[in-house]
Amino acid sequence: MLSILLSLLVAIVANKPVDAQASPSPASDRAAIINFENAVVKADASGDISFYENNLTDDWTGGTSWGTWYTKAALLHDLRNRTNNHVNKSTISGLRVRLYGDAAIATFDQSYDAVVLGQRRIRHVLNTDTFVRQNHRWMLAASHTSVAR
């Protein structure tokens, strides 16, 4: 009798329709964040400020490798001044994504040649980006960069 009930239960569970609103898979979440990080490199190269306007949380903060904190408003302000703030070249490597439900952490190495606040900076840095899922999409909530030695 018990085996019949277990068989019936397995049959019911196996035939249950999949919920169309189910959460994305970890693989698709990882892919979305990898795509996001690669899109940052492209946005920097092209000076696409709208990428940052649309993909940072309103209360985003960023710690820089030169020892300052940025808010979203301050970052957007500086990015609008392309003469004193632009990226000549940027590459990322060693990207690792860790998922925690509706939060995620991405860590990676970056090498860049950029003009920041009118000063040329050529560096190799370590980055940590913190993401949150808002309205079914990943948004960047915080970033931190330190000089790699």
mmCIF file of all heavy atoms in Angstrom, residues 45-95:
data_model
loop_
_atom_site.group_PDB
_atom_site.id
_atom_site.type_symbol
_atom_site.label_atom_id
_atom_site.label_comp_id
_atom_site.label_asym_id
_atom_site.label_seq_id
_atom_site.Cartn_x
_atom_site.Cartn_y
_atom_site.Cartn_z
ATOM 1 N N ALA A 45 33.952 52.401 -22.614
ATOM 2 C CA ALA A 45 34.668 52.688 -23.867
ATOM 3 C C ALA A 45 33.911 53.677 -24.737
ATOM 4 O O ALA A 45 34.511 54.518 -25.398
ATOM 5 C CB ALA A 45 34.929 51.394 -24.628
ATOM 6 N N SER A 46 32.583 53.585 -24.716
ATOM 7 C CA SER A 46 31.776 54.442 -25.588
ATOM 8 C C SER A 46 31.263 55.703 -24.892
ATOM 9 O O SER A 46 30.648 56.545 -25.534
ATOM 10 C CB SER A 46 30.587 53.644 -26.135
ATOM 11 O OG SER A 46 29.692 53.309 -25.088
ATOM 12 N N GLY A 47 31.498 55.825 -23.594
ATOM 13 C CA GLY A 47 30.985 56.980 -22.861
ATOM 14 C C GLY A 47 29.484 56.940 -22.678
ATOM 15 O O GLY A 47 28.822 57.982 -22.598
ATOM 16 N N ASP A 48 28.914 55.750 -22.590
ATOM 17 C CA ASP A 48 27.460 55.564 -22.469
ATOM 18 C C ASP A 48 26.999 55.796 -21.029
ATOM 19 O O ASP A 48 26.938 54.870 -20.219
ATOM 20 C CB ASP A 48 27.085 54.159 -22.935
ATOM 21 C CG ASP A 48 25.593 53.890 -22.871
ATOM 22 O OD1 ASP A 48 24.812 54.820 -22.574
ATOM 23 O OD2 ASP A 48 25.211 52.733 -23.116
ATOM 24 N N ILE A 49 26.660 57.025 -20.724
ATOM 25 C CA ILE A 49 26.221 57.393 -19.377
ATOM 26 C C ILE A 49 24.869 56.756 -19.050
ATOM 27 O O ILE A 49 24.597 56.409 -17.904
ATOM 28 C CB ILE A 49 26.155 58.920 -19.233
ATOM 29 C CG1 ILE A 49 27.555 59.504 -19.429
ATOM 30 C CG2 ILE A 49 25.581 59.332 -17.891
ATOM 31 C CD1 ILE A 49 27.573 61.004 -19.616
ATOM 32 N N SER A 50 24.027 56.554 -20.059
ATOM 33 C CA SER A 50 22.705 55.983 -19.815
ATOM 34 C C SER A 50 22.793 54.586 -19.202
ATOM 35 O O SER A 50 21.899 54.181 -18.458
ATOM 36 C CB SER A 50 21.871 55.948 -21.095
ATOM 37 O OG SER A 50 22.413 55.025 -22.018
ATOM 38 N N PHE A 51 23.872 53.862 -19.494
ATOM 39 C CA PHE A 51 24.037 52.545 -18.884
ATOM 40 C C PHE A 51 24.043 52.671 -17.363
ATOM 41 O O PHE A 51 23.384 51.913 -16.659
ATOM 42 C CB PHE A 51 25.327 51.869 -19.363
ATOM 43 C CG PHE A 51 25.544 50.526 -18.728
ATOM 44 C CD1 PHE A 51 24.942 49.403 -19.249
ATOM 45 C CD2 PHE A 51 26.310 50.392 -17.578
ATOM 46 C CE1 PHE A 51 25.104 48.164 -18.645
ATOM 47 C CE2 PHE A 51 26.481 49.159 -16.976
ATOM 48 C CZ PHE A 51 25.875 48.041 -17.512
ATOM 49 N N TYR A 52 24.791 53.635 -16.854
ATOM 50 C CA TYR A 52 24.873 53.842 -15.408
ATOM 51 C C TYR A 52 23.565 54.411 -14.852
ATOM 52 O O TYR A 52 23.142 54.030 -13.763
ATOM 53 C CB TYR A 52 26.052 54.749 -15.065
ATOM 54 C CG TYR A 52 27.366 54.074 -15.358
ATOM 55 C CD1 TYR A 52 28.061 54.332 -16.534
ATOM 56 C CD2 TYR A 52 27.895 53.137 -14.475
ATOM 57 C CE1 TYR A 52 29.257 53.688 -16.805
ATOM 58 C CE2 TYR A 52 29.083 52.484 -14.745
ATOM 59 C CZ TYR A 52 29.755 52.769 -15.912
ATOM 60 O OH TYR A 52 30.930 52.117 -16.186
ATOM 61 N N GLU A 53 22.934 55.286 -15.584
ATOM 62 C CA GLU A 53 21.649 55.842 -15.137
ATOM 63 C C GLU A 53 20.624 54.734 -14.942
ATOM 64 O O GLU A 53 19.850 54.763 -13.987
ATOM 65 C CB GLU A 53 21.124 56.851 -16.162
ATOM 66 C CG GLU A 53 21.924 58.118 -16.227
ATOM 67 C CD GLU A 53 21.534 59.016 -17.392
ATOM 68 O OE1 GLU A 53 21.118 58.499 -18.459
ATOM 69 O OE2 GLU A 53 21.663 60.234 -17.240
ATOM 70 N N ASN A 54 20.633 53.755 -15.840
ATOM 71 C CA ASN A 54 19.609 52.707 -15.852
ATOM 72 C C ASN A 54 19.948 51.460 -15.057
ATOM 73 O O ASN A 54 19.052 50.650 -14.789
ATOM 74 C CB ASN A 54 19.314 52.300 -17.294
ATOM 75 C CG ASN A 54 18.744 53.440 -18.107
ATOM 76 O OD1 ASN A 54 17.962 54.234 -17.605
ATOM 77 N ND2 ASN A 54 19.159 53.536 -19.345
ATOM 78 N N ASN A 55 21.210 51.259 -14.690
ATOM 79 C CA ASN A 55 21.604 49.985 -14.103
ATOM 80 C C ASN A 55 22.211 50.057 -12.712
ATOM 81 O O ASN A 55 22.596 49.031 -12.162
ATOM 82 C CB ASN A 55 22.558 49.255 -15.049
ATOM 83 C CG ASN A 55 21.860 48.823 -16.311
ATOM 84 O OD1 ASN A 55 21.002 47.947 -16.282
ATOM 85 N ND2 ASN A 55 22.189 49.457 -17.420
ATOM 86 N N LEU A 56 22.323 51.262 -12.147
ATOM 87 C CA LEU A 56 22.760 51.405 -10.759
ATOM 88 C C LEU A 56 21.539 51.692 -9.901
ATOM 89 O O LEU A 56 20.639 52.419 -10.313
ATOM 90 C CB LEU A 56 23.743 52.577 -10.606
ATOM 91 C CG LEU A 56 25.025 52.554 -11.433
ATOM 92 C CD1 LEU A 56 25.884 53.768 -11.088
ATOM 93 C CD2 LEU A 56 25.800 51.279 -11.248
ATOM 94 N N THR A 57 21.505 51.121 -8.701
ATOM 95 C CA THR A 57 20.425 51.468 -7.786
ATOM 96 C C THR A 57 20.548 52.960 -7.454
ATOM 97 O O THR A 57 21.626 53.546 -7.571
ATOM 98 C CB THR A 57 20.490 50.642 -6.482
ATOM 99 O OG1 THR A 57 21.736 50.905 -5.833
ATOM 100 C CG2 THR A 57 20.312 49.154 -6.753
ATOM 101 N N ASP A 58 19.448 53.562 -7.046
ATOM 102 C CA ASP A 58 19.481 54.995 -6.736
ATOM 103 C C ASP A 58 20.462 55.318 -5.622
ATOM 104 O O ASP A 58 21.058 56.395 -5.612
ATOM 105 C CB ASP A 58 18.079 55.496 -6.362
ATOM 106 C CG ASP A 58 17.147 55.522 -7.567
ATOM 107 O OD1 ASP A 58 17.648 55.563 -8.717
ATOM 108 O OD2 ASP A 58 15.920 55.492 -7.358
ATOM 109 N N ASP A 59 20.654 54.383 -4.683
ATOM 110 C CA ASP A 59 21.569 54.637 -3.563
ATOM 111 C C ASP A 59 22.913 53.929 -3.727
ATOM 112 O O ASP A 59 23.623 53.672 -2.760
ATOM 113 C CB ASP A 59 20.918 54.259 -2.245
ATOM 114 C CG ASP A 59 20.550 52.784 -2.168
ATOM 115 O OD1 ASP A 59 20.612 52.081 -3.202
ATOM 116 O OD2 ASP A 59 20.207 52.325 -1.076
ATOM 117 N N TRP A 60 23.297 53.659 -4.992
ATOM 118 C CA TRP A 60 24.577 53.013 -5.279
ATOM 119 C C TRP A 60 25.730 53.798 -4.648
ATOM 120 O O TRP A 60 25.705 55.032 -4.605
ATOM 121 C CB TRP A 60 24.793 52.929 -6.791
ATOM 122 C CG TRP A 60 26.161 52.455 -7.183
ATOM 123 C CD1 TRP A 60 26.564 51.166 -7.340
ATOM 124 C CD2 TRP A 60 27.310 53.256 -7.468
ATOM 125 N NE1 TRP A 60 27.892 51.117 -7.705
ATOM 126 C CE2 TRP A 60 28.375 52.392 -7.786
ATOM 127 C CE3 TRP A 60 27.552 54.634 -7.468
ATOM 128 C CZ2 TRP A 60 29.652 52.842 -8.113
ATOM 129 C CZ3 TRP A 60 28.820 55.094 -7.796
ATOM 130 C CH2 TRP A 60 29.851 54.203 -8.110
ATOM 131 N N THR A 61 26.726 53.067 -4.165
ATOM 132 C CA THR A 61 27.970 53.688 -3.700
ATOM 133 C C THR A 61 29.132 52.910 -4.287
ATOM 134 O O THR A 61 29.038 51.700 -4.515
ATOM 135 C CB THR A 61 28.117 53.693 -2.166
ATOM 136 O OG1 THR A 61 27.980 52.353 -1.682
ATOM 137 C CG2 THR A 61 27.093 54.578 -1.499
ATOM 138 N N GLY A 62 30.219 53.631 -4.516
ATOM 139 C CA GLY A 62 31.419 53.001 -5.044
ATOM 140 C C GLY A 62 32.648 53.502 -4.323
ATOM 141 O O GLY A 62 32.820 54.708 -4.156
ATOM 142 N N GLY A 63 33.476 52.579 -3.877
ATOM 143 C CA GLY A 63 34.758 52.925 -3.277
ATOM 144 C C GLY A 63 35.831 52.810 -4.341
ATOM 145 O O GLY A 63 35.920 51.804 -5.036
ATOM 146 N N THR A 64 36.654 53.857 -4.497
ATOM 147 C CA THR A 64 37.642 53.879 -5.566
ATOM 148 C C THR A 64 39.011 53.431 -5.079
ATOM 149 O O THR A 64 39.297 53.448 -3.878
ATOM 150 C CB THR A 64 37.782 55.296 -6.153
ATOM 151 O OG1 THR A 64 38.395 56.146 -5.174
ATOM 152 C CG2 THR A 64 36.429 55.860 -6.568
ATOM 153 N N SER A 65 39.862 53.102 -6.031
ATOM 154 C CA SER A 65 41.224 52.670 -5.707
ATOM 155 C C SER A 65 42.119 53.848 -5.326
ATOM 156 O O SER A 65 43.249 53.657 -4.915
ATOM 157 C CB SER A 65 41.829 51.908 -6.885
ATOM 158 O OG SER A 65 41.937 52.743 -8.019
ATOM 159 N N TRP A 66 41.612 55.052 -5.450
ATOM 160 C CA TRP A 66 42.385 56.218 -5.010
ATOM 161 C C TRP A 66 41.837 56.808 -3.721
ATOM 162 O O TRP A 66 42.169 57.911 -3.315
ATOM 163 C CB TRP A 66 42.533 57.276 -6.116
ATOM 164 C CG TRP A 66 41.246 57.736 -6.733
ATOM 165 C CD1 TRP A 66 40.466 58.789 -6.328
ATOM 166 C CD2 TRP A 66 40.574 57.181 -7.845
ATOM 167 N NE1 TRP A 66 39.351 58.903 -7.114
ATOM 168 C CE2 TRP A 66 39.399 57.923 -8.073
ATOM 169 C CE3 TRP A 66 40.846 56.103 -8.696
ATOM 170 C CZ2 TRP A 66 38.509 57.630 -9.091
ATOM 171 C CZ3 TRP A 66 39.949 55.832 -9.711
ATOM 172 C CH2 TRP A 66 38.804 56.585 -9.891
ATOM 173 N N GLY A 67 40.975 56.040 -3.048
ATOM 174 C CA GLY A 67 40.573 56.371 -1.688
ATOM 175 C C GLY A 67 39.404 57.311 -1.529
ATOM 176 O O GLY A 67 39.325 58.025 -0.526
ATOM 177 N N THR A 68 38.466 57.300 -2.465
ATOM 178 C CA THR A 68 37.281 58.150 -2.336
ATOM 179 C C THR A 68 36.025 57.312 -2.485
ATOM 180 O O THR A 68 36.052 56.198 -3.001
ATOM 181 C CB THR A 68 37.273 59.261 -3.406
ATOM 182 O OG1 THR A 68 37.248 58.656 -4.706
ATOM 183 C CG2 THR A 68 38.473 60.171 -3.282
ATOM 184 N N TRP A 69 34.916 57.870 -2.026
ATOM 185 C CA TRP A 69 33.595 57.258 -2.191
ATOM 186 C C TRP A 69 32.842 58.035 -3.253
ATOM 187 O O TRP A 69 32.956 59.259 -3.333
ATOM 188 C CB TRP A 69 32.799 57.304 -0.888
ATOM 189 C CG TRP A 69 33.324 56.375 0.151
ATOM 190 C CD1 TRP A 69 34.056 56.694 1.249
ATOM 191 C CD2 TRP A 69 33.151 54.962 0.191
ATOM 192 N NE1 TRP A 69 34.360 55.570 1.970
ATOM 193 C CE2 TRP A 69 33.812 54.487 1.345
ATOM 194 C CE3 TRP A 69 32.507 54.041 -0.636
ATOM 195 C CZ2 TRP A 69 33.843 53.146 1.690
ATOM 196 C CZ3 TRP A 69 32.537 52.708 -0.289
ATOM 197 C CH2 TRP A 69 33.193 52.274 0.868
ATOM 198 N N TYR A 70 32.054 57.328 -4.045
ATOM 199 C CA TYR A 70 31.191 57.936 -5.049
ATOM 200 C C TYR A 70 29.742 57.595 -4.740
ATOM 201 O O TYR A 70 29.444 56.480 -4.308
ATOM 202 C CB TYR A 70 31.488 57.359 -6.436
ATOM 203 C CG TYR A 70 32.312 58.239 -7.335
ATOM 204 C CD1 TYR A 70 33.629 57.923 -7.627
ATOM 205 C CD2 TYR A 70 31.761 59.379 -7.924
ATOM 206 C CE1 TYR A 70 34.384 58.709 -8.475
ATOM 207 C CE2 TYR A 70 32.503 60.172 -8.769
ATOM 208 C CZ TYR A 70 33.817 59.838 -9.040
ATOM 209 O OH TYR A 70 34.550 60.625 -9.879
ATOM 210 N N THR A 71 28.857 58.521 -5.011
ATOM 211 C CA THR A 71 27.424 58.242 -5.057
ATOM 212 C C THR A 71 27.043 58.142 -6.529
ATOM 213 O O THR A 71 27.821 58.535 -7.407
ATOM 214 C CB THR A 71 26.601 59.371 -4.403
ATOM 215 O OG1 THR A 71 26.799 60.572 -5.171
ATOM 216 C CG2 THR A 71 26.995 59.584 -2.948
ATOM 217 N N LYS A 72 25.862 57.675 -6.791
ATOM 218 C CA LYS A 72 25.404 57.608 -8.179
ATOM 219 C C LYS A 72 25.378 59.003 -8.788
ATOM 220 O O LYS A 72 25.858 59.204 -9.909
ATOM 221 C CB LYS A 72 24.015 56.956 -8.251
ATOM 222 C CG LYS A 72 23.479 56.828 -9.669
ATOM 223 C CD LYS A 72 22.122 56.159 -9.701
ATOM 224 C CE LYS A 72 21.589 56.000 -11.105
ATOM 225 N NZ LYS A 72 20.282 55.303 -11.122
ATOM 226 N N ALA A 73 24.848 59.975 -8.061
ATOM 227 C CA ALA A 73 24.759 61.343 -8.586
ATOM 228 C C ALA A 73 26.138 61.916 -8.910
ATOM 229 O O ALA A 73 26.332 62.532 -9.961
ATOM 230 C CB ALA A 73 24.027 62.242 -7.596
ATOM 231 N N ALA A 74 27.104 61.694 -8.022
ATOM 232 C CA ALA A 74 28.456 62.209 -8.255
ATOM 233 C C ALA A 74 29.109 61.515 -9.449
ATOM 234 O O ALA A 74 29.786 62.163 -10.263
ATOM 235 C CB ALA A 74 29.311 62.040 -7.001
ATOM 236 N N LEU A 75 28.906 60.204 -9.579
ATOM 237 C CA LEU A 75 29.469 59.477 -10.706
ATOM 238 C C LEU A 75 28.894 60.003 -12.022
ATOM 239 O O LEU A 75 29.635 60.295 -12.964
ATOM 240 C CB LEU A 75 29.188 57.977 -10.574
ATOM 241 C CG LEU A 75 29.655 57.128 -11.765
ATOM 242 C CD1 LEU A 75 31.174 57.107 -11.860
ATOM 243 C CD2 LEU A 75 29.100 55.718 -11.657
ATOM 244 N N LEU A 76 27.574 60.141 -12.088
ATOM 245 C CA LEU A 76 26.938 60.630 -13.316
ATOM 246 C C LEU A 76 27.422 62.039 -13.649
ATOM 247 O O LEU A 76 27.674 62.353 -14.823
ATOM 248 C CB LEU A 76 25.413 60.586 -13.183
ATOM 249 C CG LEU A 76 24.799 59.190 -13.067
ATOM 250 C CD1 LEU A 76 23.307 59.288 -12.799
ATOM 251 C CD2 LEU A 76 25.087 58.350 -14.306
ATOM 252 N N HIS A 77 27.574 62.871 -12.648
ATOM 253 C CA HIS A 77 28.080 64.231 -12.852
ATOM 254 C C HIS A 77 29.466 64.182 -13.498
ATOM 255 O O HIS A 77 29.729 64.872 -14.487
ATOM 256 C CB HIS A 77 28.126 64.985 -11.520
ATOM 257 C CG HIS A 77 28.740 66.335 -11.638
ATOM 258 N ND1 HIS A 77 30.085 66.553 -11.427
ATOM 259 C CD2 HIS A 77 28.196 67.532 -11.959
ATOM 260 C CE1 HIS A 77 30.346 67.831 -11.619
ATOM 261 N NE2 HIS A 77 29.216 68.453 -11.934
ATOM 262 N N ASP A 78 30.352 63.380 -12.943
ATOM 263 C CA ASP A 78 31.709 63.300 -13.482
ATOM 264 C C ASP A 78 31.741 62.671 -14.870
ATOM 265 O O ASP A 78 32.506 63.114 -15.743
ATOM 266 C CB ASP A 78 32.621 62.529 -12.529
ATOM 267 C CG ASP A 78 33.007 63.349 -11.306
ATOM 268 O OD1 ASP A 78 32.707 64.568 -11.258
ATOM 269 O OD2 ASP A 78 33.610 62.757 -10.393
ATOM 270 N N LEU A 79 30.910 61.661 -15.112
ATOM 271 C CA LEU A 79 30.897 61.012 -16.421
ATOM 272 C C LEU A 79 30.429 61.952 -17.534
ATOM 273 O O LEU A 79 30.816 61.784 -18.689
ATOM 274 C CB LEU A 79 30.015 59.758 -16.397
ATOM 275 C CG LEU A 79 30.556 58.571 -15.602
ATOM 276 C CD1 LEU A 79 29.532 57.443 -15.586
ATOM 277 C CD2 LEU A 79 31.887 58.092 -16.161
ATOM 278 N N ARG A 80 29.630 62.933 -17.189
ATOM 279 C CA ARG A 80 29.162 63.901 -18.188
ATOM 280 C C ARG A 80 30.290 64.823 -18.673
ATOM 281 O O ARG A 80 30.176 65.423 -19.727
ATOM 282 C CB ARG A 80 27.992 64.704 -17.635
ATOM 283 C CG ARG A 80 26.720 63.881 -17.556
ATOM 284 C CD ARG A 80 25.503 64.701 -17.108
ATOM 285 N NE ARG A 80 24.336 63.865 -17.099
ATOM 286 C CZ ARG A 80 23.884 63.207 -16.025
ATOM 287 N NH1 ARG A 80 24.515 63.323 -14.863
ATOM 288 N NH2 ARG A 80 22.818 62.443 -16.108
ATOM 289 N N ASN A 81 31.364 64.919 -17.916
ATOM 290 C CA ASN A 81 32.517 65.719 -18.296
ATOM 291 C C ASN A 81 33.540 64.801 -18.968
ATOM 292 O O ASN A 81 34.494 64.346 -18.344
ATOM 293 C CB ASN A 81 33.121 66.401 -17.069
ATOM 294 C CG ASN A 81 34.319 67.257 -17.402
ATOM 295 O OD1 ASN A 81 34.899 67.160 -18.481
ATOM 296 N ND2 ASN A 81 34.705 68.100 -16.470
ATOM 297 N N ARG A 82 33.331 64.520 -20.265
ATOM 298 C CA ARG A 82 34.173 63.558 -20.995
ATOM 299 C C ARG A 82 35.609 64.044 -21.159
ATOM 300 O O ARG A 82 36.515 63.241 -21.320
ATOM 301 C CB ARG A 82 33.576 63.263 -22.376
ATOM 302 C CG ARG A 82 32.258 62.542 -22.340
ATOM 303 C CD ARG A 82 32.349 61.058 -22.331
ATOM 304 N NE ARG A 82 33.029 60.533 -23.503
ATOM 305 C CZ ARG A 82 33.717 59.412 -23.490
ATOM 306 N NH1 ARG A 82 33.825 58.706 -22.390
ATOM 307 N NH2 ARG A 82 34.311 58.969 -24.574
ATOM 308 N N THR A 83 35.840 65.327 -21.120
ATOM 309 C CA THR A 83 37.213 65.817 -21.248
ATOM 310 C C THR A 83 38.056 65.358 -20.071
ATOM 311 O O THR A 83 39.189 64.907 -20.241
ATOM 312 C CB THR A 83 37.230 67.359 -21.330
ATOM 313 O OG1 THR A 83 36.455 67.755 -22.464
ATOM 314 C CG2 THR A 83 38.645 67.886 -21.463
ATOM 315 N N ASN A 84 37.512 65.475 -18.873
ATOM 316 C CA ASN A 84 38.253 65.146 -17.652
ATOM 317 C C ASN A 84 37.992 63.749 -17.119
ATOM 318 O O ASN A 84 38.602 63.353 -16.122
ATOM 319 C CB ASN A 84 37.946 66.166 -16.560
ATOM 320 C CG ASN A 84 38.594 67.497 -16.864
ATOM 321 O OD1 ASN A 84 39.740 67.555 -17.293
ATOM 322 N ND2 ASN A 84 37.846 68.562 -16.670
ATOM 323 N N ASN A 85 37.069 63.009 -17.739
ATOM 324 C CA ASN A 85 36.716 61.671 -17.257
ATOM 325 C C ASN A 85 36.355 60.770 -18.439
ATOM 326 O O ASN A 85 35.261 60.874 -18.986
ATOM 327 C CB ASN A 85 35.526 61.740 -16.294
ATOM 328 C CG ASN A 85 35.813 62.597 -15.094
ATOM 329 O OD1 ASN A 85 36.548 62.196 -14.212
ATOM 330 N ND2 ASN A 85 35.249 63.799 -15.062
ATOM 331 N N HIS A 86 37.274 59.911 -18.825
ATOM 332 C CA HIS A 86 36.991 58.951 -19.893
ATOM 333 C C HIS A 86 37.965 57.777 -19.800
ATOM 334 O O HIS A 86 39.027 57.880 -19.192
ATOM 335 C CB HIS A 86 37.060 59.606 -21.275
ATOM 336 C CG HIS A 86 38.395 60.188 -21.603
ATOM 337 N ND1 HIS A 86 38.748 61.465 -21.260
ATOM 338 C CD2 HIS A 86 39.470 59.656 -22.226
ATOM 339 C CE1 HIS A 86 39.988 61.711 -21.660
ATOM 340 N NE2 HIS A 86 40.451 60.615 -22.248
ATOM 341 N N VAL A 87 37.545 56.678 -20.391
ATOM 342 C CA VAL A 87 38.342 55.463 -20.383
ATOM 343 C C VAL A 87 38.980 55.295 -21.754
ATOM 344 O O VAL A 87 38.289 55.314 -22.774
ATOM 345 C CB VAL A 87 37.472 54.232 -20.035
ATOM 346 C CG1 VAL A 87 38.266 52.945 -20.152
ATOM 347 C CG2 VAL A 87 36.883 54.379 -18.638
ATOM 348 N N ASN A 88 40.293 55.144 -21.770
ATOM 349 C CA ASN A 88 41.004 54.874 -23.020
ATOM 350 C C ASN A 88 40.993 53.385 -23.333
ATOM 351 O O ASN A 88 40.828 52.983 -24.477
ATOM 352 C CB ASN A 88 42.447 55.367 -22.938
ATOM 353 C CG ASN A 88 42.517 56.867 -22.727
ATOM 354 O OD1 ASN A 88 41.787 57.624 -23.331
ATOM 355 N ND2 ASN A 88 43.400 57.285 -21.830
ATOM 356 N N LYS A 89 41.177 52.568 -22.293
ATOM 357 C CA LYS A 89 41.200 51.112 -22.469
ATOM 358 C C LYS A 89 40.869 50.453 -21.137
ATOM 359 O O LYS A 89 41.301 50.916 -20.081
ATOM 360 C CB LYS A 89 42.579 50.656 -22.937
ATOM 361 C CG LYS A 89 42.666 49.175 -23.208
ATOM 362 C CD LYS A 89 44.036 48.765 -23.696
ATOM 363 C CE LYS A 89 44.045 47.266 -23.935
ATOM 364 N NZ LYS A 89 45.369 46.796 -24.296
ATOM 365 N N SER A 90 40.112 49.361 -21.193
ATOM 366 C CA SER A 90 39.762 48.619 -19.981
ATOM 367 C C SER A 90 39.544 47.161 -20.346
ATOM 368 O O SER A 90 38.880 46.860 -21.339
ATOM 369 C CB SER A 90 38.492 49.192 -19.354
ATOM 370 O OG SER A 90 38.097 48.425 -18.238
ATOM 371 N N THR A 91 40.111 46.269 -19.546
ATOM 372 C CA THR A 91 39.876 44.838 -19.721
ATOM 373 C C THR A 91 39.623 44.229 -18.351
ATOM 374 O O THR A 91 40.176 44.683 -17.346
ATOM 375 C CB THR A 91 41.078 44.122 -20.383
ATOM 376 O OG1 THR A 91 42.232 44.323 -19.578
ATOM 377 C CG2 THR A 91 41.330 44.630 -21.787
ATOM 378 N N ILE A 92 38.777 43.204 -18.327
ATOM 379 C CA ILE A 92 38.524 42.480 -17.081
ATOM 380 C C ILE A 92 38.893 41.017 -17.282
ATOM 381 O O ILE A 92 38.854 40.495 -18.394
ATOM 382 C CB ILE A 92 37.068 42.636 -16.589
ATOM 383 C CG1 ILE A 92 36.072 42.051 -17.580
ATOM 384 C CG2 ILE A 92 36.758 44.090 -16.290
ATOM 385 C CD1 ILE A 92 34.633 42.029 -17.065
ATOM 386 N N SER A 93 39.259 40.379 -16.171
ATOM 387 C CA SER A 93 39.605 38.953 -16.213
ATOM 388 C C SER A 93 39.291 38.326 -14.857
ATOM 389 O O SER A 93 39.097 39.029 -13.858
ATOM 390 C CB SER A 93 41.081 38.771 -16.558
ATOM 391 O OG SER A 93 41.892 39.354 -15.557
ATOM 392 N N GLY A 94 39.262 37.004 -14.840
ATOM 393 C CA GLY A 94 39.034 36.278 -13.589
ATOM 394 C C GLY A 94 37.684 36.532 -12.963
ATOM 395 O O GLY A 94 37.537 36.445 -11.746
ATOM 396 N N LEU A 95 36.682 36.812 -13.774
ATOM 397 C CA LEU A 95 35.349 37.127 -13.259
ATOM 398 C C LEU A 95 34.741 35.907 -12.571
ATOM 399 O O LEU A 95 34.678 34.815 -13.141
ATOM 400 C CB LEU A 95 34.447 37.597 -14.397
ATOM 401 C CG LEU A 95 33.012 37.951 -14.072
ATOM 402 C CD1 LEU A 95 32.933 39.038 -13.004
ATOM 403 C CD2 LEU A 95 32.288 38.397 -15.336
#
